[in-house]
């Protein structure tokens, strides 16, 4: 599924004393399946990227193209067909829940999906996020944040979307859940040819899983490329982001005369240090 942003501006309350710029002249293209991370601190504009892709809002200037659909403030037709092909998990998963049980939530997603082929049952959707059928009759509003995020993700996966957007999904979940998420999104990309978009400030996770990163800062897209961008400490710090811990460690070692390759996960780093240093 192709996604294109062309000179997109997003300004709220334009022409009033409350005017606020959310995005400033943002342009980029995504042409194939993969894991793409839009990385930025709070108020950088990354959440607006997801909202525009799903046509929840329209740009003030420029346009967003998702396949044949154009988001440019004009009258949009058949948008529901597009939205059911985009799975969007909000930053606050509780905002997505409308029903009294997990089963009803997933069934609600299925019943509102325009496509009737390729849908995933409630039980199978829960299995994808490492939950079992015991959750089906629970009220999603009383779940822990971690489990609520999993249920929200199961709801969108049940519709078998081509694009999956996760807004700050790793915030509030433990390392085991992060590993399970990595396995899931890699499977969705490699086996099912999905496009996964992470909207995140978690540079550590983005460095580990991303095929391409987009660095957002104060409403601007300041840089894009492969994950080696996250090795640029000056760039990352200037955008008020945390340099990935594994990058900081390797850079410090190399400053002290070592020559350690920039690994992206800790197990490979341990093996590399043992081989190259000791």
């Amino acid at each position: 599924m192709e996604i294109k942003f062309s000179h997109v501006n997003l300004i709220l309350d334009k022409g009033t004393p409350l005017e606020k710029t959310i995005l400033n002249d943002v342009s980029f293209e995504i042409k194939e399946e993969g894991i793409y991370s839009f990385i930025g601190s709070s108020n950088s504009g990354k959440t607006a990227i997801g909202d525009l892709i799903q046509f929840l809002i329209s740009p003030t200037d420029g346009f967003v193209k998702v396949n044949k659909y154009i988001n440019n403030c004009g009258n949009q037709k058949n948008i529901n067909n597009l939205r059911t092909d985009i799975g969007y998990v909000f930053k606050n998963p509780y905002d997505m829940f409308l029903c009294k049980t997990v089963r009803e939530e997933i069934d609600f997603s299925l019943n509102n999906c325009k496509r009737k082929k390729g849908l995933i049952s409630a039980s199978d959707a829960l299995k994808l996020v490492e939950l079992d059928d015991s959750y089906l009759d629970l009220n999603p509003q009383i779940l822990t944040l971690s489990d609520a995020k999993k249920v929200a993700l199961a709801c969108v996966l049940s519709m078998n979307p081509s694009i999956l957007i996760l807004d700050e999904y790793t915030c509030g979940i433990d390392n085991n859940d992060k590993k399970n998420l990595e396995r899931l999104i890699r499977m969705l990309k490699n086996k099912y040819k999905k496009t996964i978009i992470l909207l995140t400030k978690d540079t550590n996770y983005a460095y580990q899983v991303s095929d391409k990163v987009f660095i957002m800062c104060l409403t601007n897209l300041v840089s894009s490329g492969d994950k080696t961008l996250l090795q640029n400490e000056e760039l990352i710090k200037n955008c008020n982001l945390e340099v990935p811990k594994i990058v900081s460690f390797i850079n410090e070692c190399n400053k002290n005369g070592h020559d350690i390759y920039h690994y992206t996960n800790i197990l490979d780093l341990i093996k590399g240090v043992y081989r190259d240093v000791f």
Side-chain angles (χ1 to χ4, degrees):
M1 180 172 281
E2 180 186 8
I3 300 171
K4 180 178 181 179
F5 277 53
S6 180
H7 301 289
V8 170
N9 293 314
L10 179 62
I11 304 171
L12 301 182
D13 300 311
K14 188 175 182 179
T16 77
L18 300 177
E19 181 174 311
K20 182 179 181 180
T21 298
I22 306 299
L23 292 175
N24 180 38
D25 196 25
V26 171
S27 296
F28 65 86
E29 288 187 65
I30 293 175
K31 293 185 176 181
E32 58 187 5
E33 69 273 0
I35 301 171
Y36 301 89
S37 292
F38 289 81
I39 307 168
S41 60
S42 298
N43 299 316
S44 62
K46 60 185 183 295
T47 294
I49 298 291
D51 292 343
L52 286 162
I53 290 173
Q54 209 185 26
F55 288 47
L56 297 178
I57 55 176
S58 294
T60 307
D61 302 290
F63 70 86
V64 176
K65 184 175 185 289
V66 182
N67 274 0
K68 65 180 181 180
Y69 299 93
I70 304 293
N71 187 357
N72 63 351
C73 293
N75 293 323
Q76 309 296 340
K77 297 180 180 179
N78 300 318
I79 294 305
N80 286 338
N81 292 330
L82 171 66
R83 287 175 177 163
T84 56
D85 207 25
I86 300 174
Y88 192 175
V89 179
F90 296 167
K91 184 185 305 183
N92 182 354
Y94 302 104
D95 289 344
M96 298 177 61
F97 300 144
L98 302 172
C99 304
K100 294 182 179 180
T101 69
V102 170
R103 186 194 310 273
E104 290 173 325
E105 283 292 343
I106 299 177
D107 286 345
F108 180 83
S109 298
L110 292 171
N111 292 334
N112 282 276
C113 186
K114 299 299 181 181
R115 289 177 290 104
K116 299 303 178 185
K117 294 183 178 180
L119 303 183
I120 300 172
S121 70
S123 181
D124 287 341
L126 287 177
K127 287 178 184 176
L128 285 173
V129 297
E130 307 290 330
L131 296 179
D132 58 38
D133 287 355
S134 65
Y135 282 81
L136 285 171
D137 295 320
L138 297 180
N139 185 336
Q141 291 289 354
I142 67 170
L143 297 175
T144 65
L145 176 61
S146 177
D147 284 346
K149 288 190 172 191
K150 292 177 185 178
V151 168
L153 179 54
C155 288
V156 300
L157 289 177
S158 68
M159 297 185 292
N160 195 16
S162 297
I163 298 175
L164 178 63
I165 303 174
L166 305 178
D167 192 356
E168 297 290 10
Y169 191 93
T170 60
C171 181
I173 67 174
D174 62 26
N175 286 331
N176 186 58
D177 285 337
K178 288 182 181 181
K179 290 178 183 177
N180 290 335
L181 175 65
E182 180 179 358
R183 284 195 291 269
L184 174 61
I185 61 178
R186 289 195 188 281
M187 178 188 72
L188 292 174
K189 182 194 79 166
N190 295 327
K191 185 175 181 179
Y192 297 104
K193 309 304 179 185
K194 307 292 188 183
T195 297
I196 297 94
I197 295 174
L198 306 179
L199 311 173
T200 184
K201 63 172 73 73
D202 188 346
T203 52
N204 293 291
Y205 197 73
Y207 186 60
Q208 185 171 329
V209 305
S210 304
D211 295 315
K212 186 173 182 178
V213 298
F214 299 84
I215 308 298
M216 306 289 298
C217 184
L218 298 176
T219 75
N220 296 289
L221 174 59
V222 297
S223 191
S224 63
D226 63 33
K227 67 177 70 179
T228 58
L229 274 179
L230 295 175
Q231 297 171 14
N232 186 333
E233 294 194 28
E234 182 179 4
L235 169 66
I236 301 306
K237 289 178 179 178
N238 286 343
C239 293
N240 199 29
L241 291 164
E242 178 188 15
V243 177
K245 290 181 173 61
I246 195 169
V247 170
S248 295
F249 177 82
I250 293 171
N251 285 345
E252 283 300 313
C253 289
N254 290 344
K255 287 177 184 177
N256 289 307
H258 300 294
D259 186 19
I260 301 173
Y261 176 78
H262 272 279
Y263 299 95
T264 58
N265 69 73
I266 191 66
L267 292 179
D268 288 341
L269 173 61
I270 292 171
K271 294 176 185 177
V273 169
Y274 183 80
R275 182 181 62 248
D276 299 334
V277 177
F278 298 105

